[in-house]
Amino acid sequence: MAAAAERMDELVREYLLFRGFAAALKQLDAEVKADGEKGFRVDKIVDQLQQFVQSYDLPALRDYWSYLDQRLFSCLEDVYRPTVNRLKTSLFRYYLVHAVQTCRNDKAQEFFLKQASELQNQAEWKDWFVLPFLPAPDSNPTFATYFSRQWTDTIIVSLHNFLSVLFQGMPVPVILNFEAECLRSSLIQEENESLRHKEKEELYLKNECMETEKPEELFM
């Protein structure tokens, strides 16, 4: 879908230029630049989430996840909601672990101050409120796993896979299928032309064989 969306953006941009719609073109470029879905590029969405984590930008991380939830995840069937919630929990734990690993306990404490009302009644978070105050959390049996490279990589891969599957199954507007339909139509025409050519060759060979057999029939 990403390639189709990018191509369609270019076609719309070319059309607006041709028509001289400068204001509309300027607005389109601004919208594309601010596109939260990154042109349906999964790698760019995951990179953006990682950037917010690594820069300790909690407000931006929360806002961006809320945007994805409202724009994309809310359209999913209810059966996928537990997966979305698990990914959100893992992403925010990733934020905390990164803050502690980089000696930014102030950011970890800030996280709980801002998220306390949302997290305090969630069972999966009850052990995490002590994290900023542990002397060696990476050696603590409760948290050691979360400080491993493997756990971090697993989160990134899980986010990537989930978004990829989501975009693959997402219904798209007819205009995004335009080029695919044109290509499909062209392939069908080529296939039909090939079949007609093959039929002509077979008919020609059949006629040749009949012409070759006629002299022999005179002597029978």
Side-chain angles (χ1 to χ4, degrees):
M1 187 193 296
E6 184 177 0
R7 174 60 178 157
M8 191 53 59
D9 288 346
E10 289 301 320
L11 290 175
V12 173
R13 186 176 286 107
E14 182 179 333
Y15 174 76
L16 293 176
L17 260 176
F18 173 74
R19 293 297 306 276
F21 296 156
L25 178 60
K26 184 177 180 180
Q27 184 63 31
L28 172 65
D29 288 337
E31 293 280 359
V32 169
K33 186 177 181 180
D35 178 22
E37 294 157 31
K38 310 297 180 184
F40 305 107
R41 289 283 302 276
V42 173
D43 54 337
K44 289 187 176 295
I45 293 175
V46 175
D47 285 347
Q48 182 67 84
L49 290 168
Q50 285 185 278
Q51 181 181 330
F52 290 144
V53 167
Q54 292 166 5
S55 62
Y56 315 103
D57 196 341
L58 180 59
L61 180 63
R62 290 190 305 182
D63 289 346
Y64 191 46
W65 184 265
S66 294
Y67 170 83
L68 295 176
D69 196 10
Q70 294 170 10
R71 182 72 176 87
L72 302 176
F73 306 151
S74 62
C75 301
L76 297 172
E77 296 178 9
D78 291 342
V79 68
Y80 294 104
R81 178 48 55 179
T83 301
V84 172
N85 291 338
R86 283 195 297 270
L87 287 171
K88 179 182 179 181
T89 297
S90 294
L91 181 64
F92 282 86
R93 285 177 174 175
Y94 173 34
Y95 176 91
L96 279 171
V97 169
H98 174 70
V100 172
Q101 279 181 323
T102 54
C103 302
R104 292 300 305 270
N105 278 5
D106 59 317
K107 291 296 182 179
Q109 293 179 39
E110 178 189 61
F111 173 88
F112 286 113
L113 285 172
K114 292 183 176 180
Q115 299 290 106
S117 60
E118 178 184 344
L119 306 179
Q120 61 185 355
N121 294 321
Q122 297 183 23
E124 62 268 27
W125 282 100
K126 69 175 184 177
D127 295 331
W128 282 75
F129 283 85
V130 300
L131 181 65
F133 309 102
L134 294 175
D138 55 336
S139 301
N140 186 288
T142 301
F143 301 105
T145 300
Y146 301 102
F147 284 83
S148 67
R149 178 68 183 181
Q150 182 180 1
W151 182 78
T152 303
D153 290 344
T154 300
I155 294 173
I156 302 307
V157 171
S158 296
L159 280 168
H160 195 284
N161 291 344
F162 182 75
L163 289 168
S164 295
V165 172
L166 186 154
F167 286 146
Q168 287 172 10
M170 179 183 292
V172 298
V174 174
I175 194 170
L176 278 185
N177 286 325
F178 176 74
E179 282 195 296
E181 287 298 318
C182 288
L183 178 60
R184 188 173 70 87
S185 177
S186 177
L187 289 174
I188 291 174
Q189 289 179 1
E190 289 178 5
E191 184 177 349
N192 289 339
E193 185 63 31
S194 177
L195 287 173
R196 283 195 292 269
H197 183 68
K198 184 178 180 181
E199 288 175 356
K200 287 181 180 179
E201 285 186 341
E202 290 176 349
L203 181 61
Y204 174 77
L205 291 174
K206 184 177 180 180
N207 290 335
E208 283 291 304
C209 289
M210 291 177 65
E211 289 297 326
T212 304
E213 290 173 357
K214 281 181 180 180
E216 297 177 359
E217 292 175 354
L218 295 175
F219 298 95
M220 293 180 62

